[in-house]
């Protein structure tokens, strides 16, 4: 269902681009904007893993330096039938994580030190499973396509008056003005809806990969509150990367606005608990005596 919804939103975004292109620039101008936007975003997509990891100062870890974390990701990747991604750690107190990479063969997952310290081993497995789900769903590609079309729309809007051509009649000018001022807002809204839809899909698949959606629900309950009270400096400097993270890393995001990149944590938790009921699993959100990941050497029961 979420895949169908994503397809419908992408179709709506494409239709908006074609309409705006016709109103503002005609066929020729629209194609120029699309080519430029494709070029810019193709570079970003091809280098998405390196760019995202570098902007957040992520450092690579190996089985030798982080045996528990790397071993966990390896087992979860096996459950998901995915190649083993590279594993990174970000030195920040905010509990968060993201996945990046243009394909399952060129992918990486990153977790913050705050996340590793806060969660139990089962909850951390739930988060890592969510990130692997993004890789399996090729969400980086989907978001790049949506960003390309939205970028082309914004570009057309910025040069709307230059491209308006012979539309000097009143009706034509009204159409141009509406496209210039309203189209970028509409494109941003559709892009955010696509991002939120992909989060729900990654939650559900993540619950399947770790084999217990309650673990991810419990993690979301903890980190949504934890992230809200801690600033992540690299995210504040690179706000365009906020949609990558499992929870919004930016300040001032404690509401489910139309332009939010993430659904409310309560809604995501409710969906995961419903999934747990479908799977016949216990609905208890937290373990009686949860151990933070860093305080145990035992192997998690997800494999």
């Amino acid at each position: 269902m979420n895949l169908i919804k994503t397809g419908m939103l992408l179709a709506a975004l494409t239709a908006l681009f074609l309409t705006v292109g016709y109103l503002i620039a005609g066929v020729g101008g629209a194609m120029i904007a699309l080519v430029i936007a494709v070029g810019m975003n193709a570079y970003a997509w091809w280098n998405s893993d390196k760019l995202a990891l570098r902007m957040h100062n992520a450092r690579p870890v190996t089985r030798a330096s982080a045996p528990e974390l790397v071993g966990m990701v390896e087992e979860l990747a096996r459950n998901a039938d995915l190649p083993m991604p590279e594993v990174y750690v970000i030195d920040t107190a905010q509990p968060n994580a993201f996945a990046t990479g243009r394909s399952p063969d060129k992918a990486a997952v990153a977790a913050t030190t705050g996340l590793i310290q806060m969660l139990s081993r089962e909850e951390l497995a739930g988060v890592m499973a969510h990130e692997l789900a993004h890789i399996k769903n090729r969400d980086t590609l989907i978001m790049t396509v949506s960003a390309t079309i939205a970028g082309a729309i914004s570009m057309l809007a910025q040069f709307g008056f230059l491209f308006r051509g012979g539309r000097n009649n009143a009706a034509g000018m009204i159409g141009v003005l509406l496209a210039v001022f309203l189209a970028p807002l509409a494109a941003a809204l559709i892009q955010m809806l696509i991002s939120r839809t992909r989060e729900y899909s990654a939650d559900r698949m993540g619950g399947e990969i770790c084999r217990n959606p309650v673990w991810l629900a419990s993690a979301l309950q903890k980190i949504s509150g934890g992230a809200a009270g801690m600033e992540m400096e690299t995210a504040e400097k690179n706000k365009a990367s906020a949609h990558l993270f499992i929870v919004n890393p930016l300040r001032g995001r404690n509401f489910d606005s139309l332009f939010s990149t993430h659904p409310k944590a309560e809604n995501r938790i409710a969906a995961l608990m419903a999934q747990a009921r479908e799977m016949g699993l216990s609905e208890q959100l937290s373990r009686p005596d949860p151990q933070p990941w860093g305080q145990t050497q035992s192997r998690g029961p997800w494999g």
Side-chain angles (χ1 to χ4, degrees), residues 15-31 153 156 163 167 179:
L16 179 63
F17 167 74
L18 294 174
T19 301
V20 172
Y22 176 77
L23 287 173
I24 293 179
V27 176
M31 288 303 102
I153 292 171
L156 282 172
F163 289 151
R167 293 171 175 78

Side-chain angles (χ1 to χ4, degrees), residues 94-180:
Q94 187 187 99
N96 228 319
F98 71 83
T100 187
R102 63 182 181 270
S103 70
D105 292 321
K106 298 289 183 179
V109 293
T112 68
T113 50
L115 182 85
I116 296 170
Q117 292 165 4
M118 176 181 286
L119 302 185
S120 70
R121 59 185 182 275
E122 289 86 357
E123 291 163 343
L124 185 58
V127 171
M128 291 295 98
H130 169 97
E131 300 308 331
L132 290 174
H134 276 306
I135 295 171
K136 193 173 182 69
N137 288 336
R138 295 180 181 266
D139 285 335
T140 300
L141 174 60
I142 292 172
M143 293 309 299
T144 299
V145 170
S146 68
T148 296
I149 303 173
I153 292 171
S154 296
M155 194 175 300
L156 282 172
Q158 291 172 13
F159 295 100
F161 290 103
L162 297 177
F163 289 151
R164 67 183 186 274
R167 293 171 175 78
N168 294 320
N169 59 79
M173 282 302 299
I174 290 173
V176 170
L177 288 172
L178 288 175
V180 167

